[in-house]
Amino acid sequence: MLNEVRDQLGQALFRRVAGPDGPATRARIHLTPGPRWFGPDRPIRSVHGDASMFIGGLSALLLQSLHPLAMAAVAGHSGYRGDPWGRLQRTSTFLAVTTYGTAEDAQRAVDQVRAIHERIRGTAADGRPYHAADPHLLGWVHAAETDSFLRAHERFGAHPLDAAGYDGYVADAARVASALGVTDPPRDRRELSARLAAYRPELRATPEARATARFLLLQPPVPLAVRPLYGGLAANAVSLLPPWARRLLWLPRVPVVEDLAIRPTGQALTRTIRWIMRPPTTPDPD
């Protein structure tokens, strides 16, 4: 009975994250023969395959929103409010294909994203033009995402990596970033930290950024029954943010509460997600 419940929960969560074509896409990604961008021993496979990505992904969205031009592009073109699950499914599929799929499939996915970025242009509220294919703007999105995924895995991953492993993860992520059009992406954790610091003068919390934070943290597109669980993931996503990012978004830190309640909740939730997302059980032929 417990296995049946786990399988049902796992299938429901997988459908939410991967979409209706998820099983077919997963089979194509993992079962198609051919060379891959990343071998089975590469750190990117460990990080992107862990349940900590649920927290890291939320944290990345909050951090990325602090660049006014990136936020303007998201607000104007992504449809994240009208179709949040669709956006999540497209993002998760891209990560899966580039991390685990064949080199041919990975390149095809990158080419599709680059074509979309090329069409996205506009003007931010402050009058500055933006273009989603701008290497500098792509560099911010990449650095914020990589740092958030790394922080989440380091804190909540089933098997945290050592320093060399996380440097390897940054180098692996740089392979995908270069293919997407990022110029000279950081290739170890020291370079990643320096790159994030270099963007700091450009960052601020626009009304659109704070609206995104309210949407993600207070008005999530999830059923009421699971909002307490989502709230635990969201609280831990906030706790991962650098202190300066939290200040910009008006998200105060409460050290005692975070250490005694929020972080243990995040650890429990990621363990639970890891458990229900295991491959479905098969009946014993005997």
Side-chain angles (χ1 to χ4, degrees), residues 11-102:
Q11 290 166 17
L13 182 57
F14 181 71
R15 282 195 300 271
R16 277 293 193 178
V17 174
D21 298 328
T25 301
R26 179 170 58 187
R28 188 190 81 241
I29 290 171
H30 293 282
L31 301 181
T32 302
R36 265 72 177 161
W37 280 358
F38 306 106
D41 60 337
R42 292 306 305 167
I44 196 170
R45 286 180 165 239
S46 299
V47 174
H48 289 178
D50 191 84
S52 60
M53 289 286 285
F54 283 84
I55 295 175
L58 273 173
S59 192
L61 292 174
L62 292 168
L63 185 57
Q64 288 167 343
S65 75
L66 289 174
H67 196 294
L69 298 184
M71 187 64 247
V74 169
H77 301 273
S78 77
Y80 76 96
R81 284 181 177 271
D83 184 25
W85 289 108
R87 184 169 188 248
L88 172 63
Q89 291 156 10
R90 291 188 292 273
T91 300
S92 65
T93 298
F94 177 81
L95 288 171
V97 170
T98 53
T99 303
Y100 306 103
T102 64

Side-chain angles (χ1 to χ4, degrees), residues 253-276:
R253 184 171 186 269
V254 186
V256 175
V257 174
E258 291 189 10
D259 294 341
L260 297 181
I262 292 179
R263 185 177 297 195
T265 298
Q267 292 166 341
L269 287 170
T270 48
R271 283 196 299 267
T272 301
I273 293 170
R274 204 171 286 125
W275 177 72
I276 66 174

Side-chain angles (χ1 to χ4, degrees), residues 201-255:
E202 304 174 34
L203 307 180
R204 61 187 179 89
T206 62
E208 292 83 3
R210 293 201 173 101
T212 295
R214 287 194 299 271
F215 177 74
L216 292 173
L217 302 177
L218 302 178
Q219 304 164 331
V222 297
L224 288 174
V226 299
R227 283 201 178 186
L229 301 178
Y230 178 92
L233 294 176
N236 278 281
V238 170
S239 76
L240 283 179
L241 290 170
W244 55 265
R246 295 180 63 159
R247 288 193 296 270
L248 288 174
L249 289 169
W250 299 342
L251 299 171
R253 184 171 186 269
V254 186

Side-chain angles (χ1 to χ4, degrees), residues 28 32 37 94 97-98 102-115 180:
R28 188 190 81 241
T32 302
W37 280 358
F94 177 81
V97 170
T98 53
T102 64
E104 182 179 356
D105 257 4
Q107 187 60 55
R108 186 180 301 113
V110 164
D111 291 342
Q112 291 170 349
V113 170
R114 293 193 69 155
L180 283 170

